[in-house]
């Protein structure tokens, strides 16, 4: 059985949850999220203490069925936990731009990147995502949906990933890029 899936999810103050069958709506200070989950698991909201539990069916099931239901239980619990955390605290990804002349700027709901191409790259910011820039070489992506924040940050990074030879490009804050020696540093003939 899923050890992680059996843990209850504590509901912090200021977060409201509505469970209607497979549909779950969560609302908090940072926004609201809703999702529909698999029919194999049951989502139960306890009022004292305020928590959510995910229950997988038990009984005379084959080992394969028990394993599948256990996996659904763990997945559902993880997704619900991320939703509760997102509407309460939010998620953030920070990106740094390295390279001479590489910059970024905000124009309304668009991020404009000048990163070594002959033209600027323009990315539309999806609904529910906020982007801040303290300086032209630092991008902060925030939002209440973990998947959206991570996907938009990955889309930005994918435009110019860090080079393993020069180190130029867009990388996550704190990401370590191991640089390879260039051919002239290897000491050839």
């Amino acid at each position: 059985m899923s050890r992680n899936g059996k843990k209850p999810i504590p509901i912090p103050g200021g977060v409201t949850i509505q469970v209607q069958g497979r549909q779950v709506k969560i609302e908090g200070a940072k926004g609201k999220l809703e999702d529909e989950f698999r029919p194999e698991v049951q989502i139960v909201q306890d009022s004292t203490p305020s928590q959510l539990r995910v229950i997988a069916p038990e009984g005379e099931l084959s080992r394969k069925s028990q394993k599948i239901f256990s996996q659904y239980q763990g997945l559902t619990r993880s997704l619900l936990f991320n939703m509760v955390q997102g509407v309460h605290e939010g998620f953030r990804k920070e990106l740094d731009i390295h390279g001479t002349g590489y910059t970024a700027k905000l124009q309304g709901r668009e991020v404009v990147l000048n990163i070594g191409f002959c033209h600027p790259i323009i990315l539309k910011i999806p609904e529910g995502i906020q982007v801040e820039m303290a300086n032209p070489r630092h991008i902060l992506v925030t939002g209440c949906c973990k998947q959206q924040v991570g996907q938009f940050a990955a889309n930005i990074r994918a435009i110019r990933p860090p080079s393993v030879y020069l180190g130029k490009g867009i990388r996550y804050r704190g990401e370590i890029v191991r640089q390879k020696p260039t051919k002239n540093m290897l000491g050839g003939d």
Side-chain angles (χ1 to χ4, degrees):
M1 298 303 270
S2 174
R3 292 183 194 149
N4 195 31
K6 290 181 181 179
K7 293 180 188 174
I9 302 167
I11 302 171
V15 175
T16 59
I17 297 178
Q18 295 177 349
V19 179
Q20 299 167 344
R22 298 182 336 179
Q23 189 81 17
V24 177
K25 296 178 183 179
I26 302 177
E27 192 169 340
K30 299 285 184 178
K32 60 181 175 177
L33 297 170
E34 64 179 86
D35 204 354
E36 188 171 327
F37 294 97
R38 302 225 21 130
E40 291 87 357
V41 294
Q42 181 184 7
I43 301 166
V44 178
Q45 183 176 5
D46 297 333
S47 57
T48 57
S50 185
Q51 63 185 12
L52 276 177
R53 288 183 298 125
V54 180
I55 300 170
E58 294 181 9
E60 294 186 20
L61 300 170
S62 67
R63 288 191 118 191
K64 187 173 184 178
S65 295
Q66 281 183 338
K67 184 176 180 180
I68 291 171
F69 291 151
S70 176
Q71 290 170 352
Y72 288 149
Q73 182 184 22
L75 172 68
T76 304
R77 193 253 180 218
S78 181
L79 293 173
L80 282 170
F81 181 79
N82 287 339
M83 288 172 69
V84 170
Q85 185 180 0
V87 298
H88 183 63
E89 299 171 4
F91 293 101
R92 61 188 287 147
K93 288 278 187 181
E94 296 183 57
L95 298 156
D96 290 325
I97 301 173
H98 295 273
T100 306
Y102 288 10
T103 60
K105 63 181 176 181
L106 280 175
Q107 286 183 345
R109 293 285 297 164
E110 295 177 338
V111 177
V112 180
L113 299 168
N114 293 311
I115 50 173
F117 295 116
C118 62
H119 59 283
I121 305 295
I122 299 171
L123 293 171
K124 293 189 184 287
I125 300 171
E127 197 65 36
I129 299 290
Q130 295 80 34
V131 175
E132 301 172 19
M133 292 187 193
N135 61 48
R137 293 177 168 263
H138 179 72
I139 303 171
L140 174 64
V141 181
T142 59
C144 63
C145 180
K146 186 174 188 176
Q147 191 272 332
Q148 282 185 335
V149 170
Q151 185 63 53
F152 188 65
N155 290 347
I156 293 173
R157 184 184 180 277
I159 292 171
R160 178 73 78 172
S163 167
V164 293
Y165 292 107
L166 301 174
K168 298 185 337 179
I170 302 172
R171 63 178 83 168
Y172 295 113
R173 167 88 26 117
E175 179 181 2
I176 298 170
V177 178
R178 294 188 63 198
Q179 290 186 319
K180 295 180 179 179
T182 57
K183 290 183 180 180
N184 60 3
M185 291 179 144
L186 296 175
D189 291 327

